[in-house]
Amino acid sequence: MRDPSVPAPAPARRRFLQAMAAAGAAAVLPLDVLAQACGTPWREWRAFVDRHIEPDGRVVDHLNTDLRSTSESQSYGLFFALVDNDPVLFDRILAWTRRHLCRGRADLNLPAWLWGRAADGQFRVLDPNTAADGELWIAYALLEAGRLWKRPGLVEAGRQTLALMRTAEVVELPGFGPMLLPGNRGFVQADRWTLNPSYLPLFVLRRFAAVDARGPWARLAERSVAMTRASAPVGFAPDWIAWNGKAFVADPGKGAIGSYDAIRCYLWAGMTDPADPLRRTLLDGLSGPASMLRAQSGFAEKIDTRLGVGTGTPSPGFAAALLPYLSALGQPALAKAQLARIPTAGTLNYYDRALVLFGKGWMDRRYRFSTDGRLLPAWSSPCSARP
């Protein structure tokens, strides 16, 4: 029975906290504890901003000598600025992306995937090909920023990005169904289609299906789970795969290895809302990491996805990416062990920091995704730390 001396939460706040609790870890915390993320500084995000985001909105990966920015890095910057309720920074990142990656016309051009310092020392687009994972998160950030901040122009921009993706990158795999290519060039050969399972978060596709009901997104959501399961014969996702017209096979160039791309498959699966009808199927198909951690306590940098054998020491970001996954599987002890592997101080590279923001940020309940893919940031309740 509720203590009558404690005011009941407002309806919007109550719904938010209940959704957060329902999608949380195995041990559900009291609602007043869940609300604490609303008012606490996001230390990991501030460190990311200080290190990787320039004043003009460019998100920089310092690990590479070309000091690159990618459509992925820009998209992650947009998403986390939204989670942090920072529309000023969001707009700066968006403006840089449109100006430098979309040639100033985001309504006509998908972003180039790679921008940085060329051999002559000048900064410019280094590869005009597209990357569907960056575009997917850009579209999602635009749609959700427009909805949460009540800015219809951003929603329309998100719809425009979806329309461009449908035209340039969504194909029908013979004998399988619709699929999102990793980019608009170089992924279709005479005898195969090259794909990346980590480019397809289920909850993002759910949101696209709700916004663009006539599009391929609902069917693509179902097919993406089927692809993930079919390409992970012993429960480990590969970085890249190929469809040969009859079955998913190892990519001829990269082999049956799961590493820095594939780690996101477990991350996305773990963050999917428990009420999604495909969540259990998805998690069952990705049983490998949990089995490996139970057997040997540590994960691996590279995994042979046909044999389930791992080699190398994973980066700290891998541990963060596994947190939602282990939480979804009801493995709090394994999750606690991975949390201990994330450094609290020191220098991390761009990708490790991004995985920490996703995985640990989710575990800290700074955001959740609803069954239909809506973003539920902590600030969307009345306890928001910002106006």
Side-chain angles (χ1 to χ4, degrees), residues 182-206:
N184 65 4
R185 291 196 306 276
F187 298 101
V188 179
Q189 290 78 36
D191 59 344
R192 68 182 182 274
W193 292 256
T194 302
L195 307 167
N196 190 312
S198 75
Y199 282 21
L200 297 162
L202 178 56
F203 47 85
V204 173
L205 297 175
R206 295 294 195 203

Side-chain angles (χ1 to χ4, degrees), residues 70-129:
T70 62
S71 56
E72 174 205 277
S73 68
Q74 296 300 121
S75 73
Y76 289 173
L78 289 171
F79 175 74
F80 293 123
L82 174 57
V83 172
D84 196 47
N85 196 21
D86 192 341
V88 174
L89 180 57
F90 184 99
D91 287 345
R92 287 207 304 268
I93 296 171
L94 181 60
W96 190 94
T97 305
R98 288 170 165 172
R99 182 168 61 254
H100 293 281
L101 301 186
C102 301
R103 292 178 285 166
R105 291 297 305 269
D107 57 329
L108 299 178
N109 304 311
L110 288 169
W113 86 270
L114 181 61
W115 190 97
R117 184 168 57 195
D120 62 4
Q122 299 298 309
F123 283 85
R124 58 174 176 266
V125 169
L126 302 179
D127 188 340
N129 201 2

Side-chain angles (χ1 to χ4, degrees), residues 239-364:
D239 288 339
W240 293 89
I241 58 171
W243 174 256
N244 65 9
K246 297 180 180 179
F248 290 105
V249 297
D251 178 75
K254 299 179 174 62
I257 296 297
S259 187
Y260 288 91
D261 276 339
I263 192 66
R264 295 180 294 190
C265 292
Y266 316 119
L267 173 66
W268 308 147
M271 293 195 297
T272 301
D273 187 81
D276 190 296
L278 289 177
R279 179 180 185 251
R280 176 46 54 188
T281 301
L282 182 58
L283 287 169
D284 287 347
L286 296 173
S287 60
S291 298
M292 177 176 283
L293 291 171
R294 283 193 294 265
Q296 61 187 44
S297 76
F299 201 54
E301 179 188 30
K302 297 180 180 180
I303 297 171
D304 184 321
T305 61
R306 296 165 299 187
L307 303 175
V309 177
T311 58
T313 301
S315 69
F318 280 39
L322 290 172
L323 293 177
Y325 165 81
L326 294 170
S327 173
L329 293 177
Q331 298 289 334
L334 294 180
K336 183 178 180 180
Q338 292 303 305
L339 183 63
R341 295 175 182 268
I342 304 172
T344 57
T347 301
L348 295 176
N349 63 40
Y350 148 76
Y351 192 58
D352 277 333
R353 288 185 192 273
L355 293 178
V356 169
L357 289 172
F358 272 118
K360 187 172 182 296
W362 187 92
M363 286 295 287
D364 290 342

Side-chain angles (χ1 to χ4, degrees), residues 35-60:
Q36 290 178 3
C38 300
T40 57
W42 195 359
R43 177 175 55 84
E44 293 89 356
W45 171 237
R46 296 322 310 170
F48 185 97
V49 172
D50 291 343
R51 172 61 175 161
H52 296 285
I53 303 185
E54 296 189 344
D56 63 355
R58 182 165 91 94
V59 183
V60 185

Side-chain angles (χ1 to χ4, degrees), residues 206-230:
R206 295 294 195 203
R207 190 68 193 134
F208 291 172
V211 171
D212 180 18
R214 295 185 178 181
W217 314 110
R219 178 67 171 152
L220 184 55
E222 185 272 327
R223 291 286 80 192
S224 72
V225 174
M227 176 191 69
T228 299
R229 285 180 60 89

